[in-house]
Amino acid sequence: MGNLLKVLTCTDLEQEPNFFLDFENAQPTEAEREVWGQVDGVLKDSEAILDELQAYKGAGQEIREAIQNPSDEALQEQAWAAVVPLVGKLKKFYEFSQRLEAALHSLLGALTSETYSDSTQHLEREQALAKQFAEILDFTLRFDELKMTNPAIQNDFSYYRRTLSRMRINNVPAELENEVNNELANRISLFYADATPMLKTLSDGTTKFVSENKNLPIENTTDCLSTMASVCKVMLETPEYRSRFINESTVSFCLRVMVGVIILYDYVHPVGAFAKSSKIDMKGCIKVLKDQPPNSVEGLLNALRYTTKHLNDESTNKTIKSMLQ
C-alpha cells in the first residue's frame, strides 16, 4: 500500500535521465544474454508478420458475390476457398501476439528486478534488453496502424465464422475446424474487434505482470516506462544525441517507442500519464511530436488522443488537452 501511495503522490518530475540509449547497435552483455536470446527468437519473426499484414488483401469480392447469390454453390465454394487461407494468417498474427506478450513479461522481469537500484541504471546498463523492449513497442504501433486501415480483416473473419456455423448445422465437414475451434475463434474475434489489438495485448500483459508480481513495487514497472519515455524525448530534442543516429528511420522509431511507453504507462499507473503526479513530461513529449514534419506524426498523435485511458479525465491538465486537440 505504501508503494502505491508513493506512486500516487509523486508530484514532481525528477531530474530527467540524460544518457544515449543505443537503439541501433546495443549488444547483450553476458548477464542479459539468456533473456535476450528468448526475446530475439520472437522478434526475428516480427518483420515477416508486418509484411504479411501489409500484403493482406482480403476476400471482399468473393464474399460479396457469395452473399448476393446464396443458391450458387460454386460461388459459396469459391468464397470459402478464398477465406480459409486468410483465416490461417489471422490465426498466425493472433498467436504471434501471445508470443509477444510472453517476451514482454521476460523483459519486464529483467528490467524491473532489484539488480539495479533504479530504472535509469537498468536502461543504461541493460541497453540490449531496453532496445528489444523498444522493438516490441515499435512493432506494436506499426502492426496496429496497418490493422486499423484494413477493414477486410474483420469482414473475412466474420464471414468465416458465419459460414462455419452454417456448415455445422448442415453437418458439412470443415477442413480448418481442427485448427480454429470455437473457443479459439472467440479469442481471435475479440482480438481483432479492438481498434489496436497489439497495443491492448501489451497493455493487458503489462497490467498482468504487475498483478502477478505483488512482491515487486508497482513503481519499478511504472518508473521503467516513464524513464524510457524520458530517454526517447531527451534523445530526440538533444542535437548531440540525435546526430549520433546512423539511420534516418531511428527518429521515427524513437517517436513510436516514446508514444508506446506513454500509452502503457497510462494503463498501468493508477492515475495515468496525464495527471499532475505523472513522472512523464507530457507537454515536453507532445512538443517533440509536434516539432516533427506534420504528416509523419499524425498517427502517433491520434494514438495518444484515442488509445490512452486517462486523457479525458477531469484531472488532466487543460494545456495538455488543448495541445492534443
Side-chain angles (χ1 to χ4, degrees), residues 188-314:
I188 293 174
S189 199
L190 273 174
F191 175 74
Y192 289 111
D194 201 278
T196 52
M198 283 291 173
L199 201 52
K200 185 171 187 342
T201 301
L202 287 204
S203 301
D204 290 350
T206 309
T207 307
K208 195 165 132 195
F209 173 81
V210 169
S211 62
E212 282 175 358
N213 292 277
K214 292 191 168 43
N215 58 328
L216 202 64
I218 185 176
E219 65 192 328
N220 285 29
T221 305
T222 55
D223 284 359
C224 172
L225 300 174
S226 60
T227 304
M228 183 75 114
S230 299
V231 168
C232 290
K233 180 181 87 72
V234 168
M235 288 203 299
L236 287 160
E237 65 189 7
T238 309
E240 66 183 274
Y241 286 154
R242 198 163 164 155
S243 66
R244 287 170 66 181
F245 295 157
I246 296 160
N247 302 314
E248 193 94 352
S249 60
T250 306
V251 170
S252 50
F253 176 89
C254 224
L255 290 163
R256 275 193 296 272
V257 173
M258 181 179 78
V259 168
V261 279
I262 288 170
I263 295 167
L264 284 192
Y265 182 96
D266 196 48
Y267 271 86
V268 178
H269 193 286
V271 294
F274 301 96
K276 207 174 258 184
S277 59
S278 165
K279 284 194 177 179
I280 297 178
D281 171 14
M282 282 307 304
K283 288 179 197 166
C285 289
I286 295 166
K287 184 183 179 307
V288 164
L289 281 167
K290 293 203 156 186
D291 285 345
Q292 311 306 314
N295 296 345
S296 66
V297 291
E298 198 50 38
L300 295 176
L301 288 166
N302 282 339
L304 290 178
R305 287 175 189 127
Y306 307 121
T307 64
T308 46
K309 188 178 178 184
H310 293 283
L311 175 62
N312 295 315
D313 288 4
E314 284 294 308

Side-chain angles (χ1 to χ4, degrees), residues 56-60 63 83 86 90 147-159:
Y56 189 100
K57 292 289 178 274
I63 290 171
V83 161
L86 293 172
L90 296 180
K147 184 264 172 188
M148 267 195 276
T149 55
N150 197 335
I153 288 173
Q154 276 174 278
N155 296 341
D156 292 348
F157 202 70
S158 299
Y159 177 79

